[in-house]
Amino acid sequence: MAYWLMKSEPDVYSIDDLQRDQTELWDGVRNYQARNFLTSMALGDLAFFYHSNTKPPGIVGLMKIVETNVVDPTQFDPASPYYDPKSPPEQPRWRTVVVGYGETFDTIITLDQLKATFTPEDLWVVRRGNRLSVMPVAEAVAQRLLAMAHQGH
DNA sequence: GCCAACGTTGGC
DNA sequence: GCCAACGTTGGC
């Protein structure tokens, strides 16, 4: 089983929204590196939910991957901000996953705390200028994150 | 709101 | 295939 980190702006979709919905199709990713990580996810993988572009940014909870290799329907929807007219319907360009709600951590693990704990090599989200919205998290790093989440840092 | 980082686009 | 221009992300 692998671990991942997935970003969302809470104004757009937050962990509270996911708790309410329980499952959600993770649409709108339009970056090939992130897409490739999405398509390499497996059922039962776990993903840390990261709130970006908010105060403070950080990891707020955990999700599980409940469906893999799902065609992102927004690429074919002209009304969607994620519409991609160049995506061939017979061979959709953008695939993603369905995530399930796991848990909300008692306290957010802030980006400041992540920077103080991990190197940019260990946790890509602390890399300067990092814009990738889906990234792998190594097992050992994931275990440390879970320990931080469950013992209040 | 600013702006650095950086991926994408398109002219050549 | 290069690279300048442009748009977006996301921390601050």
Side-chain angles (χ1 to χ4, degrees):
Chain A
M1 183 195 67
Y3 289 91
W4 307 90
L5 182 148
M6 297 164 76
K7 294 181 187 172
S8 179
E9 300 189 16
D11 288 350
V12 177
Y13 198 80
S14 72
I15 187 119
D16 291 340
D17 295 324
L18 180 59
Q19 182 172 23
R20 178 197 64 218
D21 299 338
Q22 287 298 305
T23 63
E24 177 73 1
L25 193 153
W26 201 266
D27 61 17
V29 173
R30 294 292 180 269
N31 169 282
Y32 286 103
Q33 190 178 8
R35 193 268 324 255
N36 292 344
F37 286 134
L38 286 170
T39 55
S40 65
M41 290 179 178
L43 279 184
D45 282 1
L46 297 178
F48 293 95
F49 196 134
Y50 180 92
H51 278 178
S52 64
N53 205 13
T54 188
K55 287 184 180 179
I59 293 173
V60 293
L62 199 63
M63 310 181 270
K64 55 182 177 293
I65 308 307
V66 299
E67 194 176 342
T68 60
N69 207 31
V70 181
V71 173
D72 182 341
T74 60
Q75 68 195 304
F76 301 123
D77 177 6
S80 168
Y82 307 123
Y83 179 53
D84 182 358
K86 294 180 185 170
S87 180
E90 67 281 4
Q91 196 176 358
R93 183 178 290 182
W94 304 109
R95 289 175 181 272
T96 184
V97 296
V98 175
V99 295
Y101 177 74
E103 65 172 302
T104 303
F105 297 152
D106 290 338
T107 57
I108 180 174
I109 308 174
T110 66
L111 180 58
D112 281 348
Q113 290 166 329
L114 294 173
K115 285 178 174 173
T117 309
F118 299 100
T119 65
E121 292 74 28
D122 282 344
L123 188 63
W124 297 5
V125 79
V126 306
R127 291 181 183 181
R128 179 170 167 77
N130 168 60
R131 292 165 51 189
L132 193 62
S133 66
V134 179
M135 63 194 74
V137 176
E139 167 80 23
V141 174
Q143 293 303 334
R144 291 177 68 188
L145 287 170
L146 291 172
M148 290 169 74
H150 295 143
Q151 66 196 20
H153 317 155

